[in-house]
Amino acid sequence: MRATLKRKICILGGIFLLVLVGIFLINEYKRVTRTDRLSKEADTLRVKEAPVQKQPEQKEQPKANIQEKNEAPQKKLRPNSALFKHWGHNLSEDDQREAEALFENFGYNVFLSDRLPLDRPLPDTRDPRCLKKSYPKDLPSLAVVLIYLNEALSVIQRALRSIIDRTPKNLLKEIIMVDDNSSNENLKGELDIYVKSLEEQNPSLRIARVRHTEQRGLAHARASGWRAATADVVAILDAHIEVHEMWAEPLLTQIKGDRTVVVSPVFDRVNFDDLRVFKYSPAAHAFDWALWCMYESFSPEYYKVNDGSLPGKSPSVMGIMVADRKFLGEIGVLDEGMKVYGGENVELGIRVS
């Protein structure tokens, strides 16, 4: 009985295999037949089109002139470099090497920065309601402090240009440039020449230079700028910034209303590779348990108003701060012994509160 059952299973299995082979052969025959038919149809089309291709008026024009006007993209020497992911596809090999070397040194695209206008236009990223606001005429005077250490020359020049061009002359009293012992040679002679030209163009503006003979750190550099200032309000900024139109008036208005507040503008993002500016939404400047700076949401009450043109409260200040000069002195400015970036932001929040 078992032998008979095994025999039946073997027969059924053989029949099943034969059916599979038959299906495969039929499908293969259809595929070959279809391919042959398509090939013949393509040959027929090519035969029909041949006379049209041979007509003189249908011949393609040479592309040499187009290639001369639009050069083909160069081969990227370092295709995995972050600098060349979205920028620099038409650079020559020499320019690629120069751009990459500058990027490794500074961390952003100095090659492009050196070729952009110092007064380049910026997109208006403000909330539309900001355009409808008006500000008092009798705002306090402003001192802008720029802190730098081996920053790219064109970046500092662009920061100076934007501050001078986009701050009302009746408000901007002085610019204090604090060099925390830079070693780059062009931040000495070339920058001095550029600053002198700005002074000649703006005789009512004071531009002061503070140079440390040794590197003292960010907190000490900010305090040095504060000590050199004489205006009512001091804005302590990094040197790798560009300001928008009417950047100063809202900040000064807040301090005029309450001299004990420390304010900071909304930051936008400048891409490190192509230097394009992108809008950032208003957010609180906060910190984590490691005291590292981070963005955080404002309180729920802020969002209930649904007005991004209004100021919000933050527990700390990230990088840029604007304050009443005398009030900053009353709370002790900053701990100049701090050497590591970030701690002064938390410390200032504690001092102000």
Side-chain angles (χ1 to χ4, degrees), residues 82-227:
L83 181 62
F84 297 125
K85 284 185 178 179
H86 308 290
W87 172 86
H89 299 290
N90 292 320
L91 293 180
S92 67
E93 291 187 7
D94 289 342
D95 286 345
Q96 287 185 58
R97 291 190 180 93
E98 181 182 351
E100 181 68 19
L102 289 169
F103 174 57
E104 290 179 353
N105 186 28
F106 291 95
Y108 52 84
N109 196 343
V110 176
F111 182 90
L112 176 59
S113 174
D114 292 345
R115 288 156 179 78
L116 289 176
L118 297 180
D119 58 348
R120 69 163 179 164
L122 298 177
D124 194 337
T125 59
R126 292 175 294 172
D127 187 296
R129 285 163 290 197
C130 293
L131 305 177
K132 301 177 182 179
K133 292 183 180 294
S134 58
Y135 302 100
K137 297 294 184 182
D138 57 339
L139 291 172
S141 61
L142 177 65
V144 175
V145 176
L146 293 180
I147 308 296
Y148 61 94
L149 170 64
N150 288 331
E151 201 78 67
L153 174 62
S154 61
V155 166
I156 298 177
Q157 291 173 322
R158 192 171 293 107
L160 289 166
R161 185 79 269 166
S162 73
I163 291 166
I164 293 173
D165 291 347
R166 296 169 183 153
T167 310
K169 294 186 182 300
N170 64 307
L171 299 179
L172 183 60
K173 180 179 180 180
E174 56 197 357
I175 297 177
I176 315 297
M177 303 176 63
V178 182
D179 183 347
D180 195 23
N181 195 33
S182 296
S183 58
N184 291 355
E185 288 299 323
N186 61 1
L187 296 184
K188 299 172 184 176
E190 290 183 54
L191 183 56
D192 290 342
I193 294 173
Y194 184 71
V195 169
K196 185 176 181 180
S197 69
L198 292 177
E199 290 174 326
E200 293 173 352
Q201 297 167 18
N202 303 274
S204 62
L205 176 64
R206 172 185 177 236
I207 303 180
R209 306 292 298 277
V210 178
R211 290 189 174 97
H212 292 169
T213 56
E214 61 178 312
Q215 189 173 334
R216 305 298 297 273
L218 186 58
H220 188 98
R222 287 175 170 172
S224 294
W226 170 82
R227 280 190 289 268

Side-chain angles (χ1 to χ4, degrees), residues 209-279:
R209 306 292 298 277
V210 178
R211 290 189 174 97
H212 292 169
T213 56
E214 61 178 312
Q215 189 173 334
R216 305 298 297 273
L218 186 58
H220 188 98
R222 287 175 170 172
S224 294
W226 170 82
R227 280 190 289 268
T230 61
D232 300 324
V233 172
V234 59
I236 302 178
L237 317 177
D238 296 322
H240 47 263
I241 57 95
E242 295 171 71
V243 298
H244 288 282
E245 295 286 347
M246 296 191 72
W247 73 278
E249 291 91 323
L251 303 173
L252 294 174
T253 299
Q254 292 297 318
I255 295 173
K256 177 180 172 62
D258 183 356
R259 67 181 293 269
T260 66
V261 301
V262 175
V263 295
S264 183
V266 174
F267 297 168
D268 290 325
R269 187 185 87 233
V270 180
N271 285 352
F272 71 90
D273 53 353
D274 59 14
L275 302 186
R276 289 188 298 164
V277 178
F278 289 90
K279 179 179 179 178

Side-chain angles (χ1 to χ4, degrees), residues 15-60:
I15 293 172
F16 180 72
L17 287 174
L18 287 173
V19 171
L20 289 178
V21 171
I23 293 172
F24 173 78
L25 291 174
I26 290 170
N27 289 336
E28 184 67 10
Y29 174 78
K30 289 181 179 179
R31 186 186 67 79
V32 172
T33 304
R34 179 173 174 273
T35 302
D36 183 64
R37 185 177 70 253
L38 292 174
S39 178
K40 288 180 179 179
E41 290 175 356
D43 289 342
T44 302
L45 288 174
R46 282 196 290 269
V47 170
K48 290 181 180 179
E49 292 173 355
V52 177
Q53 292 175 350
K54 291 180 180 179
Q55 292 178 2
E57 61 272 19
Q58 295 296 327
K59 288 184 179 180
E60 293 185 2

